[in-house]
Amino acid sequence: MDLVPALQEPLKKVLGPATAKVMAEHLGLHTVGDLLHHYPRRYEERGQLTHLADLPMDEHVTVVAQVADARLHTFASSKAPRGKGQRLEVTITDGSGRLQLVFFGNGVHKPHKELLPGTRAMFAGKVSVFNRRLQLAHPAYELLRGDTEGEETVESWAGALIPLYPATAKLESWKLAKAIQTVLPSAQEAVDPLPESLREGRGLVSLPEALLKIHRPHTKADIEDARARLKWDEAFVLQIALARRRHAETQLPAVPRKPGPDGLLTAFDDRLPFTLTDGQQKVSREIFDDLATDHPMHRLLQGEVGSGKTLVALRAMLAVVDSGGQAVMLAPTEVLAQQHHRSVVEMMGELAEGGMLGGAEHATKVVLLTGSMGAAARRHALLDLATGEAGIVIGTHALIEDKVQFHDLGLVVVDEQHRFGVEQRDALRGKGKQPPHLLVMTATPIPRTVAMTVFGDLETSVLDQLPAGRSPIASHVVPAADKPHFLARAWERVREEVSNGHQAYVVCPRIGDEDDDPKKGAKQSKQPPEGDADKRPPLAVLDVAEHLAKGPLQGLKVEVLHGRMQPDDKDAVMRRFAAGETDVLVATTVIEVGVNVPNATAMVIMDADRFGVSQLHQLRGRVGRGSAPGLCLLVSEMPEASAARQRLNAVASTRDGFELSRIDLEQRREGDVLGQAQSGARTSLRVLAVIEDEEIIAEARQEAAAVVAADPELTGLPGLRTALEALLDEEREQYLEKG
């Protein structure tokens, strides 16, 4: 039979081209199967009303409510100078809260006739604030009547569950519901990916039944059954992909790397002026055990900002050099590569002077390689890599270029891996004679379940102890619009820190030299627009630095640092700041990772609502690195009730990076968990909540490992193979492979 399987039927054939186009463009739905897997976000009972007090600002919502009253006003305007302008104000209620709807102009006639007091309907629109009250302007609506004769019994009417779908302004929830009812019969042909034994063992309903129950539930128990089943699908298929990845990795050969008894590592440990924390010792043991095996290490090292990850990574690199190999550390920016190079050379002392006069007996060479180096220095560095003279190489993605050859690459350490593209990591791994060992470091704490999903192909080590001598950081939100005197006080606090002999950072979301192209400036913003503060472009380094130097911080030495400066200039600015010659550094997020100036105690983040939660936590980790306490001020013009302010309050209220990453994840609705931004594919997680479903993910991981161990090619499970191919088209599979 050459017919297209029912679930792969294009929507334009089934629903017509106009509807299909909107679904494809706005919701990424192309086939009948895509639409069947577009699940309701929640359900309303016909007899119940939506709780209006909980509506999120600036989001597109669908609510079920009752009309309390409707008033038609006439007014004069430029378009209707004789007082003929019309505005219909409808107040809807859920019994406790109220919400205003407004309609203007010719759009008032239909709702004026239909939205009579007592009418129930579904309303869809964007929540905004007008005169300090929530409102929906020009919402779409669908009246909730009984059946067509209007004689429906009260019970069946009140009990019916109305699915509310993730919708867009172009396609309301009830139109999606109608489209789904059209294709629902095809659900019978859905191929079940779960092995039968697993499904029966866990008491899960079949896939066709789950699809029917999620879109057309009769009871709340139906919804529970369907969700339990669909969560398992998502968790299990994803874990199968990762288990196959791990299985393939164990088949690769690698050179075991064991440090010699009295080599470079021992000499380095002997010269450390402090003892390692228990956490550092434990993680180092895990890494050394991995390095000693004959297939490539794949380890993720998570550590809070300042927990000493670099030291742990350096000891791993020294172990590899001890065994005759080379180790490379890849940093996301030149500023960070230079900083790592400086701190590694400082920590190693004469052990980093291999081949030089005065170098120690076991010394090796530590080489820096970045894109902006001069030709002669670069040639020299490349030669040291190719001959094996350089045991340790630190650099940016310049290390990935074709010209770069290693003598014997044994270990790749990737710092802040989420900033590296997939291909980049792969290209570097291809430079070893055999696959090198891989250590990925991140200071962005990742909840355990996310680590099991996103980094499921990596073993995880966590450094959660801070070394002794770290100081507390106090964080506060500065509401610049509501309380301008708070901002003035913030600058006074910066002056106080400087007068006590300390230094400060001021962080802005934009550089400010792209002002000739306002669109470009707007793109710099990380966060979605919310409210009035977005009417102006994000604050820029160059403008803020000038304003501070002439105004609130007059008389202090203020310098700027941003990504478009020449590398030598950047380095010179960082050196002056590190040496204490600059009082205040106004910078973009180039200082986000790895920058270490213990004398910097204060940080003011302008337009803090433009940054993500984890990013704010990273930035804050740049202060309080010495013995004096740190201060972080989050400046925002967002109104108190906005989601952006709640995000900032969360950051101010806790120093626990794992707790913040949880909040961050909940706020981003975990769609981004698989990095869809990098993989270009839509999120595969629709019902699985990474935070709440920890148990399912852990169990799915075990089940998947067992299935793959018994049948790596999944030959006996055609349904599962199909689901796997659908989830991980080639691009995604590669994306997962590289983390």
Side-chain angles (χ1 to χ4, degrees):
M1 223 168 60
D2 286 342
L3 292 172
V4 177
L7 270 64
Q8 286 166 25
E9 190 78 59
L11 286 173
K12 58 172 176 272
K13 281 196 177 167
V14 188
L15 303 173
T19 309
K21 187 171 184 229
V22 176
M23 287 191 178
E25 284 176 7
H26 293 275
L27 296 166
L29 307 174
H30 302 278
T31 63
V32 168
D34 289 345
L35 185 54
L36 286 174
H37 287 293
H38 188 73
Y39 308 133
R41 181 174 280 165
R42 56 195 172 89
Y43 302 83
E44 295 287 5
E45 286 181 64
R46 274 186 189 268
Q48 285 187 339
L49 301 169
T50 306
H51 199 52
L52 296 176
D54 298 339
L55 293 182
M57 275 279 294
D58 269 344
E59 281 204 21
H60 201 85
V61 298
T62 304
V63 298
V64 176
Q66 185 163 358
V67 177
D69 69 35
R71 295 178 189 180
L72 192 62
H73 302 273
T74 53
F75 60 91
S77 72
S78 57
K79 287 183 183 164
R82 296 204 186 89
K84 294 275 171 61
Q86 291 192 310
R87 182 174 78 246
L88 176 65
E89 289 181 4
V90 178
T91 306
I92 58 173
T93 177
D94 59 359
S96 58
R98 291 182 162 235
L99 180 66
Q100 182 115 32
L101 315 178
V102 286
F103 300 88
F104 292 102
N106 297 335
V108 304
H109 305 305
K110 187 165 175 271
H112 192 214
K113 282 208 301 267
E114 294 183 333
L115 298 179
L116 304 171
T119 309
R120 288 177 178 230
M122 287 192 276
F123 301 92
K126 194 174 182 185
V127 183
S128 56
V129 170
F130 182 71
N131 282 345
R132 300 222 162 245
R133 285 164 64 196
L134 289 181
Q135 72 163 28
L136 297 181
H138 272 294
Y141 62 87
E142 174 90 334
L143 301 179
L144 292 176
R145 301 191 174 93
D147 64 7
T148 42
E149 283 76 48
E151 285 296 316
E152 193 176 43
T153 63
V154 176
E155 288 77 24
S156 68
W157 188 80
L161 290 160
I162 306 168
L164 293 185
Y165 290 91
T168 74
K170 295 266 193 300
L171 198 66
E172 292 87 20
S173 171
W174 50 88
K175 289 184 182 159
L176 274 162
K178 284 175 185 161
I180 286 167
Q181 293 302 341
T182 309
V183 301
L184 204 51
S186 308
Q188 291 303 339
E189 299 183 41
V191 181
D192 205 319
L194 293 190
E196 204 163 321
S197 56
L198 186 153
R199 204 180 76 225
E200 286 171 359
R202 294 188 177 271
L204 299 168
V205 300
S206 71
L207 181 56
E209 189 182 338
L211 290 171
L212 253 102
K213 284 183 167 176
I214 200 144
H215 291 298
R216 198 188 275 166
H218 295 297
T219 62
K220 288 184 176 161
D222 281 354
I223 300 170
E224 285 312 301
D225 284 353
R227 288 178 70 85
R229 161 62 215 245
L230 295 166
K231 281 180 179 191
W232 253 95
D233 274 21
E234 288 180 11
F236 182 70
V237 176
L238 182 58
Q239 291 301 336
I240 284 282
L242 295 165
R244 290 186 68 195
R245 195 51 54 230
R246 289 194 301 274
H247 177 80
E249 295 295 356
T250 58
Q251 309 303 305
L252 289 175
V255 179
R257 308 282 178 175
K258 293 181 185 162
D262 291 313
L264 187 54
L265 180 62
T266 312
F268 175 76
D269 285 349
D270 289 346
R271 51 169 291 139
L272 276 180
F274 50 82
T275 50
L276 300 178
T277 63
D278 294 347
Q280 286 172 323
Q281 290 182 4
K282 175 177 150 285
V283 170
S284 287
R285 275 197 299 277
E286 292 170 349
I287 292 172
F288 290 156
D289 288 350
D290 281 0
L291 288 173
T293 61
D294 55 10
H295 55 83
M297 164 168 84
H298 257 128
R299 193 166 279 281
L300 171 70
L301 172 55
Q302 282 181 242
E304 271 289 15
V305 178
S307 56
K309 294 184 298 300
T310 315
L311 178 62
V312 169
L314 177 56
R315 293 185 73 240
M317 292 164 84
L318 294 172
V320 169
V321 175
D322 251 357
S323 72
Q326 288 169 294
V328 55
M329 181 186 265
L330 207 51
T333 64
E334 294 216 347
V335 168
L336 193 53
Q338 286 160 341
Q339 173 122 5
H340 275 320
H341 182 254
R342 271 203 297 276
S343 58
V344 164
V345 168
E346 264 165 42
M347 280 196 268
M348 287 176 64
E350 72 265 24
L351 295 174
E353 295 170 1
M356 296 190 223
L357 244 93
E361 179 196 350
H362 297 291
T364 186
K365 221 180 207 182
V366 180
V367 168
L368 176 70
L369 187 66
T370 63
S372 65
M373 284 168 74
R378 192 179 165 77
R379 258 201 316 278
H380 213 87
L382 289 172
L383 192 64
D384 286 343
L385 265 62
T387 58
E389 187 88 5
I392 292 180
V393 187
I394 296 168
T396 54
H397 43 247
L399 283 169
I400 297 164
E401 290 177 14
D402 293 344
K403 295 192 196 80
V404 180
Q405 298 295 327
F406 290 89
H407 177 64
D408 179 13
L409 181 59
L411 169 66
V412 176
V413 179
V414 180
D415 190 21
E416 288 307 324
Q417 82 89 32
H418 56 280
R419 292 161 167 257
F420 274 97
V422 169
E423 297 77 22
Q424 295 171 314
R425 228 166 82 181
D426 229 24
L428 193 58
R429 274 172 59 186
K431 289 187 178 290
K433 294 191 178 82
Q434 284 190 319
H437 298 280
L438 176 68
L439 179 64
V440 167
M441 299 199 294
T442 177
T444 308
I446 302 162
R448 175 172 167 255
T449 42
V450 183
M452 280 195 293
T453 40
V454 187
F455 298 105
D457 58 340
L458 300 173
E459 299 301 323
T460 307
S461 297
V462 179
L463 271 178
D464 45 15
Q465 263 178 306
L466 286 186
R470 275 304 166 99
S471 305
I473 303 174
S475 304
H476 305 282
V477 177
V478 177
D482 317 347
K483 300 180 178 166
H485 60 285
F486 275 39
L487 184 57
R489 176 73 189 115
W491 301 127
E492 281 171 27
R493 281 293 288 112
V494 170
R495 292 192 87 99
E496 287 164 16
E497 289 298 312
V498 173
S499 64
N500 290 336
H502 297 301
Q503 292 158 280
Y505 296 101
V506 177
V507 180
C508 306
R510 199 162 63 96
I511 296 173
D513 59 359
E514 67 286 291
D515 290 357
D516 48 342
D517 181 0
K519 278 191 212 135
K520 237 175 167 175
K523 270 188 194 158
Q524 294 277 326
S525 147
K526 287 265 174 171
Q527 291 302 330
E530 285 183 81
D532 297 337
D534 205 69
K535 299 222 167 72
R536 60 163 174 75
L539 290 171
V541 167
L542 302 177
D543 306 340
V544 169
E546 188 181 357
H547 164 71
L548 293 176
K550 289 179 179 167
L553 302 183
Q554 198 172 6
L556 301 187
K557 179 100 169 65
V558 177
E559 287 212 68
V560 301
L561 180 71
H562 58 76
R564 275 210 281 275
M565 289 165 63
Q566 288 302 316
D568 292 352
D569 297 343
K570 275 193 255 187
D571 204 33
V573 169
M574 268 322 295
R575 279 175 195 275
R576 285 196 291 276
F577 190 64
E581 294 163 26
T582 308
D583 299 320
V584 178
L585 187 61
V586 183
T588 55
T589 53
V590 290
I591 60 158
E592 181 185 346
V593 282
V595 172
N596 184 20
V597 180
N599 191 45
T601 52
M603 176 175 283
V604 182
I605 303 178
M606 308 302 290
D607 280 347
D609 44 89
R610 305 265 180 170
F611 301 101
V613 171
S614 296
Q615 201 174 22
L616 290 169
H617 180 59
Q618 284 281 340
L619 285 165
R620 168 171 64 184
R622 301 301 114 215
V623 295
R625 299 177 79 86
S627 51
L631 171 70
C632 179
L633 301 175
L634 306 166
V635 180
S636 171
E637 293 185 7
M638 284 298 156
E640 186 119 22
S642 64
R645 270 287 284 283
Q646 287 161 9
R647 232 181 5 247
L648 297 182
N649 292 340
V651 175
S653 65
T654 177
R655 280 291 318 282
D656 180 345
F658 284 92
E659 179 54 32
L660 285 174
S661 67
R662 224 183 157 84
I663 293 165
D664 195 19
L665 197 63
E666 282 164 2
Q667 295 222 335
R668 286 187 297 139
R669 295 237 167 84
E670 47 214 16
D672 289 346
V673 140
L674 290 185
Q676 77 210 67
Q678 281 136 301
S679 76
R682 281 180 307 119
T683 165
S684 59
L685 302 190
R686 296 186 183 88
V687 282
L688 190 69
V690 171
I691 294 288
E692 292 147 32
D693 298 324
E694 181 163 344
E695 213 168 284
I696 293 178
I697 291 170
E699 287 173 15
R701 186 176 163 103
Q702 279 180 333
E703 292 271 12
V707 166
V708 170
D711 179 5
E713 294 305 311
L714 309 179
T715 33
L717 298 164
L720 179 55
R721 277 192 77 102
T722 310
L724 190 63
E725 281 155 19
L727 170 76
L728 304 176
D729 49 45
E730 279 307 290
E731 174 187 26
R732 265 188 99 68
E733 183 136 25
Q734 286 165 6
Y735 171 71
L736 273 175
E737 174 186 351
K738 292 140 198 159

